[in-house]
Amino acid sequence: MDLEQIEKAHVYIKPLDYYVLGSVYPPLKAMQPIAPDEMYAGASDDLSLYVHIPFCDQYCSFCHFAKVINPSEDRVERYLRAMYLELEMLSQRLGGARRVRTIYFGGGTASYLTAAQVRELFARIHRHFDVAPDAEITYELHPNLVRRPDCDERLESMLANGVNRWVFGVQSMDNRELAKLNRGHTDQDVLDLLAALRERGQENVSLDLIFGIPYQTLESWHQTLTKLVAAGTPKFNIFPLMFKSGDPITYHYLKEPEIFPDASDRILMHFICDHVLLDEAGYRYGPVFYYSKKNGIASQQQAGKFENIDNLNLLGIGVSAFGYLGGTHYYNVCEIEDYVRKCEARESPVWVGWALSEEDKIRRNAIMSIRASGISRPVMKERFGIDPFEYFADDIAILKELALVEEQGDALVLTRLGALHADGVGTRFVGKNVLELFEQKNAELLLEGSHARKDLMERYDYSPLRRRVLDFTKDLREKAQSRKHLPVAPPLVTSKV
Ligand SMILES: C[S@@+](CC[C@H](N)C(=O)[O-])C[C@H]1O[C@@H](n2cnc3c(N)ncnc32)[C@H](O)[C@@H]1O
Ligand code: SF4
């Protein structure tokens, strides 16, 4: 791998700058205030729902998502009531109960809810939406669920409401690594939760893992993978560790970089993962970073997000939820109090959005499909009337020269080498308009100096674009060096379970 050339082509993304170029294109930082009414007119007939539950038992050191740790019962109930108001407002705006094909309950910790709260949440969804009888319903579980006295009751409440797909954050099967991440569970909890689902006939399970974490070695990573393959895991979602400037783990990194795998080990870890799962254990890539057993059940939610979002729009419900409706991406407000107040006042909690132009849609399609089944000539021709090989000719030539992409029939696909740099490859298809808006926003933030870290767009933007410009980590490093102890980081609350 000629990393120097890959870096020169702005495709290699260094660890501290790394982020997945995910489904939100253009990313949050380019978005603008948007009148909610603009969004609803073109919504597709069938919908996917994403429901965000922002509560957790502990503060995992790598996590920058919107959440509250160990909230009071009142706070949870008030949040749920706000979401019910949002469901009602959405259904009214959409002119009645639309058909729902997939639902995803994520977090935070979706399994933080009691059985009674789960039942009520489903009842409210059914009141305002027409959930298809064969809908794919995914529920995120935290492995500490198995240690709750009411674990069985919670699982039964989900099953009784049609949950048929499960995702849980595992991150590692090494207890020292898990403790350093402040995960609040052990490797045994993961195996027990897998067994609890299997006892109930539930085989559609995806496990999240992270490589690049403190204390992890090539060997311990290999063991994490092989233990979970041996446990019969049908699917994995595997990501390299991503840093945001306010995360405890970023302070850990600046203080003790030597306990983290270095840049080349991170690449090797991705390679090990491909080797163990794709070559040895009979998995295939869904999109890059999502692995599933070759004969396993495909995820409709994944397919919708990566290949079919114009026909299956996504409604994001809850604080910080992301959605795509009638050609417009949007984010709900990211602060919980703000979200609750808006819903209680019967106001839309939509914060910012972006109505995609035809060019944005072409670029979005290229970014998403290159990491899935490839950029397809016939699909692009049919949807947008263009030949992608001509449209992106210059970028494709550079990527081919680096052996990161290749033509397979009528599609441009990532090579195995390209898969190791899928996000960097994707950034080559980002539009100038988006990059310019990022630069403009970054210029404003630079004037703010270190206060810019508190800017909500900076805080909640999850993309690799132009992260280096602000170089907050330099600022943090200086602070870390000028103090004996770690600078004040958000408190690490140990699990109450
Ligand atoms: C939105 S999080 C919610 C997961 C769930 N709350 C849990 O912890 O079990 C989904 C997954 O994203 C991944 N993730 C979150 N933060 C990450 C980070 N900083 N770097 C890499 N992966 C991350 C983790 O694998 C995590 O399980
Ligand atoms: S359980 Fe941990 S990783 Fe999951 S949302 Fe909560 S703090 Fe983040």
Side-chain angles (χ1 to χ4, degrees):
M1 183 191 303
D2 190 344
L3 208 50
E4 209 175 298
Q5 290 306 318
I6 297 177
E7 195 174 350
K8 269 195 193 143
H10 303 291
V11 169
Y12 173 60
I13 311 175
K14 290 185 178 148
L16 278 175
D17 299 320
Y18 178 80
Y19 218 95
V20 176
L21 190 61
S23 53
V24 191
Y25 180 81
L28 174 67
K29 231 193 218 174
M31 290 186 184
Q32 313 287 329
I34 187 157
D37 284 339
E38 282 175 32
M39 300 166 13
Y40 300 94
S44 58
D45 291 336
D46 288 348
L47 293 172
S48 285
L49 302 186
Y50 171 80
V51 183
H52 190 77
I53 309 294
F55 308 118
C56 300
D57 291 299
Q58 72 294 307
Y59 195 133
C60 304
S61 61
F62 57 85
C63 175
H64 35 254
F65 300 108
K67 66 201 174 269
V68 187
I69 312 298
N70 287 326
S72 68
E73 268 303 304
D74 281 357
R75 201 158 181 207
V76 176
E77 282 298 330
R78 190 169 166 212
Y79 176 79
L80 291 173
R81 282 197 302 273
M83 274 207 318
Y84 304 153
L85 291 170
E86 190 189 5
L87 284 168
E88 187 183 334
M89 285 189 281
L90 283 170
S91 151
Q92 280 166 2
R93 282 182 190 274
L94 290 164
R98 289 272 170 122
R99 182 129 267 228
V100 167
R101 296 272 168 202
T102 81
I103 312 180
Y104 190 106
F105 296 90
T109 305
S111 55
Y112 195 88
L113 300 185
T114 62
Q117 287 166 335
V118 169
R119 285 192 286 269
E120 182 63 18
L121 178 53
F122 270 99
R124 298 292 182 143
I125 291 173
H126 284 282
R127 187 181 298 176
H128 300 296
F129 291 90
D130 171 23
V131 182
D134 60 348
E136 177 187 271
I137 306 183
T138 310
Y139 211 97
E140 266 183 19
L141 304 177
H142 188 283
N144 71 9
L145 177 62
V146 287
R147 287 198 253 147
R148 289 187 183 275
D150 63 347
C151 169
D152 288 344
E153 203 192 336
R154 289 188 191 206
L155 286 177
E156 295 306 331
S157 70
M158 296 164 199
L159 284 165
N161 279 290
V163 174
N164 47 27
R165 180 169 172 257
W166 312 84
V167 177
F168 42 111
V170 170
Q171 324 315 350
S172 163
M173 288 295 275
D174 179 296
N175 286 333
R176 185 167 173 240
E177 293 166 19
L178 287 170
K180 182 72 180 166
L181 296 177
N182 199 39
R183 280 290 295 169
H185 70 81
T186 62
D187 59 343
Q188 190 57 46
D189 295 332
V190 174
L191 298 176
D192 291 348
L193 188 54
L194 278 172
L197 289 177
R198 193 159 295 139
E199 267 167 31
R200 291 168 168 85
Q202 297 299 304
E203 298 290 345
N204 196 353
V205 182
S206 303
L207 304 187
D208 296 339
L209 297 176
I210 306 182
F211 58 85
I213 57 180
Y215 301 141
Q216 199 174 39
T217 61
L218 298 180
E219 196 178 359
S220 74
W221 175 234
H222 185 264
Q223 277 170 6
T224 285
L225 289 167
T226 47
K227 268 187 205 166
L228 292 171
V229 168
T233 308
K235 291 181 204 167
F236 290 99
N237 308 328
I238 302 184
F239 294 101
L241 177 64
M242 300 175 249
F243 294 94
K244 288 283 287 179
S245 56
D247 296 343
I249 207 160
T250 307
Y251 291 96
H252 295 172
Y253 180 80
L254 296 173
K255 196 88 177 135
E256 289 183 284
E258 65 283 0
I259 65 168
F260 286 74
D262 65 14
S264 75
D265 275 357
R266 281 169 63 112
I267 295 176
L268 282 173
M269 284 175 172
H270 192 165
F271 178 78
I272 287 174
C273 183
D274 281 0
H275 181 63
V276 169
L277 298 179
L278 305 178
D279 301 332
E280 291 182 337
Y283 291 72
R284 61 179 156 74
Y285 267 134
V288 170
F289 293 133
Y290 298 85
Y291 302 79
S292 56
K293 276 261 168 74
K294 276 196 179 130
N295 49 2
I297 319 161
S299 152
Q300 292 175 48
Q301 185 255 343
Q302 282 299 352
K305 193 164 90 178
F306 281 87
E307 316 263 7
N308 192 23
I309 202 161
D310 282 310
N311 299 330
L312 191 65
N313 286 179
L314 173 70
L315 263 191
I317 294 150
V319 66
S320 76
F322 155 75
Y324 178 77
L325 213 54
T328 302
H329 279 309
Y330 71 90
Y331 260 93
N332 275 353
V333 290
C334 286
E335 303 279 269
I336 293 180
E337 287 309 316
D338 196 12
Y339 170 80
V340 169
R341 269 197 306 271
K342 284 207 151 71
C343 292
E344 286 176 350
R346 305 287 196 280
E347 279 172 29
S348 164
V350 170
W351 175 27
V352 282
W354 179 288
L356 277 81
S357 67
E358 205 62 0
E359 181 189 340
D360 298 329
K361 284 189 185 170
I362 292 170
R363 292 186 177 279
R364 181 189 183 286
N365 185 290
I367 291 166
M368 297 305 284
S369 55
I370 192 68
R371 58 195 315 140
S373 55
I375 302 178
S376 152
R377 266 183 148 153
V379 169
M380 284 271 203
K381 181 106 201 124
E382 195 202 315
R383 284 199 200 158
F384 307 113
I386 60 132
D387 179 346
F389 291 15
E390 284 170 21
Y391 197 89
F392 295 114
D394 294 347
D395 294 302
I396 291 176
I398 292 169
L399 295 168
K400 271 189 182 164
E401 177 76 25
L402 293 166
L404 299 172
V405 298
E406 65 189 9
E407 282 177 42
Q408 261 179 28
D410 264 343
L412 186 80
V413 299
L414 289 172
T415 58
R416 280 290 279 273
L417 176 64
L420 304 182
H421 299 282
D423 302 288
V425 168
T427 58
R428 294 231 47 128
F429 303 124
V430 168
K432 259 200 186 133
N433 57 339
V434 172
L435 292 176
E436 276 168 15
L437 280 163
F438 262 68
E439 307 225 302
Q440 201 178 310
K441 177 75 186 162
N442 282 344
E444 283 165 26
L445 289 171
L446 274 175
L447 290 177
E448 293 275 302
S450 56
H451 291 298
R453 270 206 305 279
K454 297 197 184 109
D455 181 276
L456 293 178
M457 279 213 169
E458 172 56 28
R459 198 153 132 206
Y460 292 105
D461 179 73
Y462 306 137
S463 84
L465 299 181
R466 300 291 191 259
R467 275 156 70 86
R468 234 163 314 186
V469 176
L470 285 172
D471 208 2
F472 284 148
T473 48
K474 183 167 154 270
D475 171 35
L476 285 175
R477 189 177 290 120
E478 279 162 8
K479 275 197 188 148
Q481 277 166 0
S482 70
R483 294 180 198 208
K484 264 197 180 146
H485 302 291
L486 282 179
V488 182
L492 294 183
V493 182
T494 336
S495 171
K496 69 176 179 191
V497 183

